């Protein structure tokens, strides 16, 4: 093949091999060992053909140089494609884990609980928004309790994002109650100047549930 055609063919081959390895959970060194094996085997064939056909030194050098360039490109494309594919797979898995760690639990027909555990970063806050809005609308909730009991601290960006979620839920007609808020989180909200009027807050989840239940019963 011409060099440009060979490079394009090897690129596609490298991407396909990398996808195969990633999808089957196989290590990169498998492909690299295979390429090394074929480099040696084909190198011997080139040597034998060169001797049989009495290639000049220039011709032999041109052939081996082109061959080695193609093999080096193969190693490069398999490696780059493998790292890219593996990284994407890890990110997808991490997203799935994060999504499962922020569940909306339906307690009654109208009341749901969103228990938050561990540190909240901007990425998890985005997943929180998606889950809260999606499940709140799907379950036709009237109340959604954000339980922060197991959240040690959140930064200013996440606190701001949290209240954007609450504002979005209000537009859907879902009332939000916050339970288990720590003093440190409350201080961040005060520093941010976040408006908390109209949002009920309780020190424990039990109190928040009782309030939502009693309010719901009073409307019946």
């Amino acid at each position: 093949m011409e060099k440009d055609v060979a490079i394009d063919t090897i690129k596609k081959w490298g991407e396909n091999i990398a996808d195969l390895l990633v999808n089957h959970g196989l290590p990169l060194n498998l492909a690299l060992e295979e390429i090394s094996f074929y480099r040696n085997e084909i190198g011997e064939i080139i040597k034998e053909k060169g001797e049989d056909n009495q290639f000049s030194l220039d011709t032999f050098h041109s052939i081996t140089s082109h061959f080695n360039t193609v093999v080096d490109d193969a190693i490069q494309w398999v490696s780059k494609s493998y790292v890219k594919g593996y990284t994407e797979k890890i990110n997808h898995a991490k997203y799935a884990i994060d999504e499962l760690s922020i569940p909306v639990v339906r307690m009654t027909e109208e009341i749901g609980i969103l228990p938050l555990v561990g540190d909240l970063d901007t990425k998890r806050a985005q997943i929180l928004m998606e889950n809260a809005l999606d499940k709140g609308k799907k379950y036709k909730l009237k109340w959604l309790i954000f339980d922060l009991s197991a959240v040690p601290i959140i930064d200013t960006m996440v606190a701001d994002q949290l209240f954007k979620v609450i504002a979005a839920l209000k537009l859907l007609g879902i009332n939000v109650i916050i339970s288990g808020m720590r003093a440190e989180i409350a201080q961040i909200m005060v520093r941010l100047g976040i408006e908390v009027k109209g949002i009920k807050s309780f020190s424990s989840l039990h109190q928040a549930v009782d309030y939502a239940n009693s309010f719901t019963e009073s409307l019946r």
Side-chain angles (χ1 to χ4, degrees), residues 52-187:
D52 292 345
N53 293 279
Q54 297 182 334
F55 288 164
S56 68
L57 189 59
D58 286 344
T59 301
F60 185 76
H61 177 268
S62 176
I63 293 171
T64 55
S65 176
H66 176 58
F67 169 65
N68 283 318
T69 298
V70 170
V71 175
D72 290 341
D73 285 340
I75 292 171
Q76 180 184 1
W77 282 111
V78 169
S79 300
K80 286 174 65 175
S81 300
Y82 182 88
V83 171
K84 181 183 176 183
Y86 195 73
T87 301
E88 288 175 353
K89 191 171 185 179
I90 289 174
N91 288 338
H92 288 154
K94 188 175 184 301
Y95 183 88
I97 291 170
D98 286 340
E99 193 173 25
L100 288 172
S101 70
I102 307 177
V104 174
V105 181
R106 191 174 185 180
M107 195 183 76
T108 68
E109 285 189 5
E110 297 181 337
I111 302 172
I113 300 171
L114 203 161
L116 300 171
V117 179
D119 295 333
L120 277 177
D121 55 20
T122 51
K123 185 177 180 181
R124 289 191 75 207
Q126 180 61 37
I127 297 172
L128 184 154
M129 174 177 271
E130 292 171 6
N131 279 5
L133 295 177
D134 180 57
K135 295 299 191 298
K137 185 178 180 180
K138 180 180 178 181
Y139 296 154
K140 299 179 180 179
L141 298 175
K142 296 295 183 184
W143 295 89
L144 184 58
I145 301 170
F146 281 31
D147 184 49
L148 306 179
S149 303
V151 177
I153 192 69
I154 57 177
D155 62 27
T156 52
M157 289 183 65
V158 173
D160 186 52
Q161 182 76 6
L162 184 65
F163 276 81
K164 285 179 180 177
V165 177
I166 292 172
L169 287 167
K170 280 186 174 182
L171 292 176
L172 294 177
I174 300 172
N175 298 298
V176 175
I177 302 174
I178 297 176
S179 68
M181 185 184 295
R182 296 172 181 269
E184 296 90 340
I185 298 175
Q187 288 173 359

Side-chain angles (χ1 to χ4, degrees), residues 188-217:
I188 289 174
M189 292 176 180
V190 171
R191 285 202 303 269
L192 278 174
I194 293 175
E195 183 61 58
V196 294
K197 288 181 180 178
I199 302 173
K200 286 290 181 180
S201 179
F202 295 91
S203 59
S204 71
L205 178 59
H206 176 73
Q207 292 173 325
V209 171
D210 281 349
Y211 176 83
N213 272 326
S214 60
F215 195 94
T216 302
E217 289 297 325

